[in-house]
Amino acid sequence: MTAPASSLPAGLRARPLRETDHLRVVEAVGQWWGTPNAPELSLLLPRLFFQHFTTWSEVVEAPQDESLVAFLIAFRSSSQPEIAYIHFVGVDPAHRGQGIAAALYERLFQIARAAGCRWVDAVTSPVNRGSQAFHAALGFEASGTRIIEGVLAYPDYDGPGQARVALRRAL
Ligand SMILES: CC(C)(COP(=O)(O)OP(=O)(O)OC[C@H]1O[C@@H](n2cnc3c(N)ncnc32)[C@H](O)[C@@H]1OP(=O)(O)O)[C@@H](O)C(=O)NCCC(=O)NCCS
């Protein structure tokens, strides 16, 4: 599917995710997150996402050297087609705060809306306050059933001890 025009910063272009992006995206997660669990996080991005979930996923590359600036892994729910699901988003720390993630989200919203979706869902960790603030800024509502690490989250959502904050935005 052709992505709509976006408000990415001047000079930056988004293009569809490819299988050949897998290794460098996984490497980027290890470097960009800067958290002790970064190697664990890369396990959330197995190659299958780069083979079977590329239609609504994009990367942004620097025009000079095609280095990776940002990526978004998203797809339409196959069991609930009215939902677009954002699995992962990441922006190179050197390029944060310029609206790049917001532009990638806006591109996805346009694609999902045009396809007939009504909601965009995502989850994040209770400790990831940056992600929570980013999603709140983009109009996502957070939900959970218990206060965990100071925020409302679902306990054991992704396994024992793996609480998550659920995020949803209407399209
Ligand atoms: C979260 C992340 C994707 C944001 O990317 P970004 O390109 O810097 O975000 P944007 O510049 O598009 O910001 C959009 C809005 O979110 C807000 N925002 C973004 N990051 C924020 C943060 N850490 N704290 C508070 N607000 C934040 C911005 O202020 C902006 O709000 P505004 O429109 O009211 O000005 C980026 O910080 C990142 O890659 N973090 C590590 C990975 C991660 O946690 N991903 C999400 C979970 S998978």
Side-chain angles (χ1 to χ4, degrees), residues 20-134:
T20 48
D21 293 318
H22 179 233
L23 200 54
R24 64 188 185 136
V25 169
V26 166
E27 282 171 353
V29 169
Q31 292 159 14
W32 294 356
W33 261 244
T35 55
N37 67 339
E40 226 173 88
L41 285 174
S42 65
L43 296 177
L44 297 174
L45 284 173
R47 196 177 189 93
L48 70 90
F49 283 102
F50 297 75
Q51 295 168 319
H52 304 292
F53 294 85
T54 57
T55 313
W56 287 6
S57 302
E58 292 193 307
V59 299
V60 177
E61 292 175 319
Q64 312 85 343
D65 56 2
E66 296 187 350
S67 60
L68 191 67
V69 169
F71 66 90
L72 175 77
I73 313 280
F75 52 90
R76 185 176 203 165
S77 167
S78 67
S79 43
Q80 300 178 71
E82 72 278 17
I83 295 176
Y85 188 85
I86 297 178
H87 176 58
F88 240 81
V89 60
V91 176
D92 181 338
H95 292 270
R96 287 184 191 164
Q98 299 171 39
I100 294 174
L104 286 174
Y105 269 48
E106 188 50 47
R107 291 165 67 87
L108 175 74
F109 296 163
Q110 289 181 40
I111 292 170
R113 225 179 265 126
C117 293
R118 295 179 54 224
W119 308 100
V120 182
D121 284 1
V123 297
T124 195
S125 303
V127 293
N128 195 341
R129 296 295 209 274
S131 170
Q132 290 160 41
F134 165 73

